[in-house]
Every structure is written in structure tokens, then in C-alpha cells.
Amino acid sequence: MPELAPRTTPLRKWFWVTIIWSLCVAGYAAYHRVPWSDEGWFASPAWNLANHASMGTPVLTDHGYGGHLTRIEERTYWVFPGFLLSEALWYKVFPSTIFWTRLHNIAWFALGLTGLFWYLRGLLPQSRVIPWLATLLFAGSFLAIDNAGFARPEIPVCALGLCAMAVYVNLRERSLPQALFFANTLIALSGLMHPNGIFHWIGLMALILWLDRGRIRLASLAAALLPYIVVGGLWGMYLMQDFQAVREQLQVNTTDRWATTLNPVVILGNELGRYWQTYGLVTGGINSIKVLGLALNVMGVVGCLWVRDLRRQPTVRFLLIQLGLYFLGLSLFNQKLSIYLVHIAPFYAILAAVWLEWLAEHRARWRPLIAIAIAGLILIETGGIVLKSYTRSYVAGQRALVSFIRSQARPDDHIAGTASLLFEMQFDSRLKDDPYLGTQSGRVPDIIVVEQLYQMLYDGWKTQRAEDMQPVMARFEDYRVAYQKDGYAVWLRKDR
């Protein structure tokens, strides 16, 4: 890689401006965005562990979501424990509000940016631009900030994966066994948080084989395997405490996870559909402006493939292969959630930075235009998050709702509502996320809270699962609407 910029380059100044701005935007979104039920599902066992030394999920019931979450209030197996443990440690120090819970993820986001930077500093020590620019592009992308502002495991998993690669490339010359041990320890912890850690394991294995396939000896192999043995053994001890619950809980959360066909055209089409949805090409309107971020990703990949000087460089070829491995893994993973694209996003940013560095070197007159385009893209992506967070702030509406619920609820009442209410209700044990409203669990609610999440669920059940919707509709006949505002409806029993 040519050296394109002196040490006095203003890129470093704008790098720090972008990092601080991105973290502030993520924090602003974390305060205003409507809580997601997933966030409550993860937070409930974490809070329970921090406060009561139990890994149960009090906000859920055994029959709450389409299957047998056997003994879910005693032990949580349907999600991996790593993220729960991390949140529990956070709750030992910080408040358990939705804002502070999301700040936990923003802290992981900062760690992930650090990992990406040092991965590229170790992989491309001769480049003074790419580590700074790639980290800046990833930090300023709406996909990264969007994930950082939600309390789910995607950002921590990605951060651990990037840090694993950073540790490996920076320690390998000093001690290959140490590099393998610490890098694989981080990957093992990543996998303990979410199955998507497998993508970063693949990325690390590709990196190890590319750099050191001829140096690996038995001692190095043992150092690489030890973290998986230790982490797997500890996890196995937890699983063996109630293997029936493990099996039945995981059955609820492991369906439709992998591609159902081997037809490569169908697999590719399904994966590209995820991009169309994520970047606003399906919904259209102002949301489609996000396609500018996708355009940069595509141009970065095409540029690295098209420019002979770039594609001849071994490091660039490896980065293309690494991106391809992530793309293949995500293509075979059948849950086409937009949030999962955060795992491949850093590698798009890397290739875009490689291509932009080449453009700046060989098209010197374009440098001001390139700088303006990057700044404009980041402002558009982050500005959209700020605007959406401000105009759709949940704070006032949900606080008014919870105030009404508290004025009506008795100490021994059962409250049915989504886990998204958990934070504002301060982890009230009376709240159960049970869309079946006790028709399967037998726990009849005294108060029912219906918001957008339940309403969307019921709308789908009416056409696709009439056998489930019929008893739910019958249950509503025993209730009356006592509160309806800001998209929330509170139903109280008629006999109250």
C-alpha cells in the first residue's frame, strides 16, 4: 500500500470528530427510541441474575411464545448466556433503565471500533489512511449506530470478533501461541453471546491460515483449542442442570435458522432481499436515501476487483476473500434480519477505504470531492437516525401509559404486555409478556396492555393462526378498554 498522507493529515482530526459524533447519535437514539420486546427478553434474566442470583426470565411464561419455554422462569436456555452475563455485570454498576441498558451496547460499540482500527493497523502497517478511514466509515454508518442503540447482542458479538482479529495480527510475531490463545478466547466469548459468533470464527480462521498456515505446530493448536474447551465446559455444566428445558426452549428459538434450499440462485436472491429491505429499497420514500451507504459498499468491492493495482495485492485479495466468507455465511443463515448485517459491515468499510485511498492517490483532483462525499454520507446516515429518534420518541407516551397502569394495578394483579414495557415498569414482577393472555399458561391477566407489537402479532394470527387467535379474542370479551392513547390500549377486567 502506498503512503498517501503525512502524519499531519487532517483525517485524524475528522476521525475523532466522527467517532464522538457517532457515539452521541447512538446515545441520543438510545434515549428516545421505543424499547423493543427483544431488549426486555435479554434484560429480564440479566437483571434477575444481578439482583436475585437467578438465570430465570421472570417476564416470560412457559407457554408464552408459540411453544414450550419449559421452566423459563427458573433458567434461561433459549438464548445464549454470554450477553446475559455481560448485562448482569453492567447492572451491578449502572441503573437498569432502557437508556443505561443501551449504553452497555454503546460501550461495546466503542470497543468494536477500537478492534477494527487495530486490526487494520496490524494487517496494513504501511498504510496511514486505511485504518483511520475504514473505522470512520463504519462508525458513521447508520447500520452500526442503529445496532449500537439497541440492547441486543449483535454489537458485542461483532466487537469481540474484531478484537480477536486485532489481537491476532498484533501478537502473532511476538508469540504465535499467545496470539492464538487470546484471539480464540475472544471468539469463544463471542459465540457464547450469540450463534452469529460463528461468522467471526470463520473470519479469524481465514486470517490465521492466510498469515501463518506454515507456522502452526501442536503447541499452537493446543493454545487455539483451549479457550473453546474451557468456555464449552462451563457452558455445558449450565446446560446439564436441566437438559429437558434446554431441548424444549431451543426448539422454540432454532426454527428457520438456516437456508432451506441448496439452490444458489434462491440463496443469493434471499440474501440480496435483505439488503433491499435494510437500505430502504423496498419501502421507498425518504427511507431510500439509505441506498447511498449500499452504493459505497458496492463501489468499494467493485473498485478493489476492477483496479489491477489493488487486486494484485495479496492483502486486498485476502480482504475480498474474507468479505466473501462473511457474505456466504450470512447467505446460508436463513433469518434475514437487517440487524445481522452489522457483522459484515466492517469489511465493506475496509474495502471502501482501500478503494478511496487509491482514488485519492491516483486522482488527486478528486480529493476534495471524496472528502465532501464521505462527510455528506455520514451526515445523511446519522442525521436520519437523529430525526427519526426525535420525531418518534417513546418517552412521554410510554411514561403516561405506565403511570395509568400503576394507578389501576393491585399488588397481586397479573399484567399482560410486551417485554418492551419492562424498563419503564422497573422490572415489575407482575408484568408477563404473554400474547396468549393466559389461554395456554392458565395465568389469567387482570390488566392487558396492547401496543403495536401485540397488534401486529394479532393481525397476523387472524389470517395465519386462527386456532390461536380465537381463544384470545374470546378472552377480550371479559375486558373493557380503560385507556387508549399514543398507540397503547389498556384493557381491565369487567368485574373489577
Side-chain angles (χ1 to χ4, degrees), residues 131-171:
W132 300 90
L133 182 56
T135 308
L136 180 152
L137 291 173
F138 179 57
S141 68
F142 87 90
L143 192 59
I145 299 173
D146 202 46
N147 273 273
F150 280 119
R152 280 184 50 93
E154 279 68 42
I155 284 291
V157 169
C158 182
L160 286 168
L162 293 171
C163 287
M165 296 178 202
V167 165
Y168 183 76
V169 296
N170 286 283
L171 281 183

Side-chain angles (χ1 to χ4, degrees), residues 55-132:
M55 278 287 282
T57 304
V59 78
L60 290 173
T61 65
D62 286 7
H63 297 82
Y65 271 87
H68 293 282
L69 291 173
T70 305
R71 290 182 284 281
I72 188 67
E73 295 177 70
E74 299 175 21
R75 294 187 181 89
T76 301
Y77 292 120
W78 77 317
V79 294
F80 286 17
F83 186 66
L84 311 183
L85 295 172
S86 180
E87 274 198 335
L89 289 173
W90 183 264
Y91 287 150
K92 285 290 188 180
V93 181
F94 300 104
S96 54
T97 64
I98 183 62
F99 176 67
W100 281 98
T101 300
R102 288 169 170 173
L103 282 186
H104 166 255
N105 263 41
I106 294 174
W108 277 106
F109 180 41
L111 180 64
L113 296 176
T114 304
L116 175 59
F117 178 82
W118 285 105
Y119 170 47
L120 295 175
R121 282 294 293 266
L123 190 68
L124 302 166
Q126 70 276 32
S127 174
R128 296 180 181 175
V129 172
I130 293 174
W132 300 90

Side-chain angles (χ1 to χ4, degrees), residues 19-323:
I19 297 298
I20 294 170
W21 169 244
S22 298
L23 293 175
C24 289
V25 170
Y28 184 81
Y31 183 80
H32 284 283
R33 280 178 170 169
V34 177
W36 195 1
S37 58
D38 287 30
E39 296 177 290
W41 295 339
F42 284 109
S44 180
W47 182 89
N48 201 24
L49 179 62
N51 290 275
H52 302 295
S54 169
M55 278 287 282
T57 304
V59 78
L60 290 173
T61 65
D62 286 7
H63 297 82
Y65 271 87
H68 293 282
L69 291 173
T70 305
R71 290 182 284 281
I72 188 67
E73 295 177 70
E74 299 175 21
R75 294 187 181 89
T76 301
Y77 292 120
W78 77 317
V79 294
F80 286 17
F83 186 66
L84 311 183
L85 295 172
S86 180
E87 274 198 335
L89 289 173
W90 183 264
Y91 287 150
K92 285 290 188 180
V93 181
F94 300 104
S96 54
T97 64
I98 183 62
F99 176 67
W100 281 98
T101 300
R102 288 169 170 173
L103 282 186
H104 166 255
N105 263 41
I106 294 174
W108 277 106
F109 180 41
L111 180 64
L113 296 176
T114 304
L116 175 59
F117 178 82
W118 285 105
Y119 170 47
L120 295 175
R121 282 294 293 266
L123 190 68
L124 302 166
Q126 70 276 32
S127 174
R128 296 180 181 175
V129 172
I130 293 174
W132 300 90
L133 182 56
T135 308
L136 180 152
L137 291 173
F138 179 57
S141 68
F142 87 90
L143 192 59
I145 299 173
D146 202 46
N147 273 273
F150 280 119
R152 280 184 50 93
E154 279 68 42
I155 284 291
V157 169
C158 182
L160 286 168
L162 293 171
C163 287
M165 296 178 202
V167 165
Y168 183 76
V169 296
N170 286 283
L171 281 183
R172 53 181 288 272
E173 293 292 349
R174 186 186 310 170
S175 172
L176 185 59
Q178 286 185 21
L180 288 167
F181 174 78
F182 289 114
N184 283 281
T185 296
L186 293 172
I187 291 295
L189 294 174
S190 175
L192 190 66
M193 287 195 167
H194 195 281
N196 285 345
I198 187 67
F199 302 139
H200 302 287
W201 178 82
I202 293 171
L204 177 64
M205 291 304 106
L207 179 66
I208 292 170
L209 292 176
W210 180 64
L211 290 175
D212 295 307
R213 59 184 177 273
R215 297 176 59 201
I216 297 176
R217 301 293 183 266
L218 186 59
S220 300
L221 185 61
L225 290 175
L226 182 59
Y228 301 104
I229 295 172
V230 173
V231 172
L234 293 173
W235 189 15
M237 291 171 61
Y238 174 59
L239 295 175
M240 293 307 295
Q241 292 180 16
D242 192 343
F243 196 73
Q244 179 191 6
V246 173
R247 184 179 67 252
E248 295 180 0
Q249 286 188 31
L250 286 177
Q251 284 176 353
V252 176
N253 202 27
T254 55
T255 55
D256 300 326
R257 288 282 178 173
W258 299 99
T260 56
T261 177
L262 295 179
N263 186 323
V265 176
V266 174
I267 291 174
L268 179 61
N270 289 338
E271 182 61 17
L272 292 179
R274 189 211 307 254
Y275 286 81
W276 305 157
Q277 180 69 42
T278 302
Y279 288 94
L281 295 173
V282 173
T283 55
I286 190 64
N287 199 40
S288 60
I289 200 170
K290 292 190 294 187
V291 75
L292 294 174
L294 178 61
L296 178 62
N297 293 342
V298 173
M299 287 189 291
V301 175
V302 172
C304 290
L305 288 169
W306 186 264
V307 177
R308 182 187 301 179
D309 291 345
L310 293 178
R311 69 171 181 266
R312 282 183 171 180
Q313 296 177 32
T315 304
V316 175
R317 289 202 299 268
F318 168 73
L319 289 170
L320 286 166
I321 292 171
Q322 197 172 41
L323 175 77

